[in-house]
Amino acid sequence: MDKHVNLIKLSVGTESIEDLETWQRQRSKQIKDGKYYHITRMWPKREAEVLNGGSIYWVIKGEVQARQRILGFDEKIGSDGIRRCGIVLDPEIVRVSPALRRPFQGWRYLDPADAPRDLRKGEAGDTALPTELDRALAEIGVI
């Protein structure tokens, strides 16, 4: 398979994967042809690599918890006339093995080798260490 790259993004205001699902499927006005799209200011320069099998990994409450396959990019022009990128997402939200992540602005590229693995259906997403210890180690750069 040819090389692909993923995106990673904070899901601001989301408390859980269920919140993310509810927002995308019920409350959001950002649905076209039955698919949710997430609007962002910047268009990925590595678009072809992302579209070659990439996903967006969602950081919820300081942890990477889920991903969605990226289906495409649509140009969105806001009421202010500014061009934005609509990231078109597969409706399936896949849970991943939780991984701590510090806050950051916008989105970043995520190499497949650094992406958390998908959880099997019904597999618990608990980390091996207690959450407080896990976060403390991440803050000092140990993990």
Side-chain angles (χ1 to χ4, degrees), residues 118-129:
D118 291 356
L119 294 176
R120 293 182 308 277
K121 297 269 190 244
E123 182 180 359
D126 295 334
T127 56
L129 298 172

Side-chain angles (χ1 to χ4, degrees), residues 17-74:
I17 295 171
E18 292 75 21
D19 277 357
L20 180 66
E21 290 171 336
T22 299
W23 171 256
Q24 289 185 7
R25 296 195 174 108
Q26 296 173 11
R27 298 188 311 229
S28 177
K29 305 283 186 259
Q30 296 170 194
I31 297 174
K32 180 181 176 189
D33 300 327
K35 295 193 174 56
Y36 172 79
Y37 59 90
H38 179 79
I39 295 191
T40 183
R41 283 188 314 137
M42 303 304 293
W43 200 284
K45 288 181 175 58
R46 298 170 67 182
E47 177 179 2
E49 288 177 82
V50 173
L51 294 178
N52 198 34
S55 292
I56 189 165
Y57 283 77
W58 293 109
V59 178
I60 301 169
K61 305 273 305 169
E63 291 183 320
V64 182
Q65 294 187 31
R67 71 170 181 86
Q68 286 176 278
R69 197 165 49 89
I70 296 173
L71 303 177
F73 298 103
D74 280 346

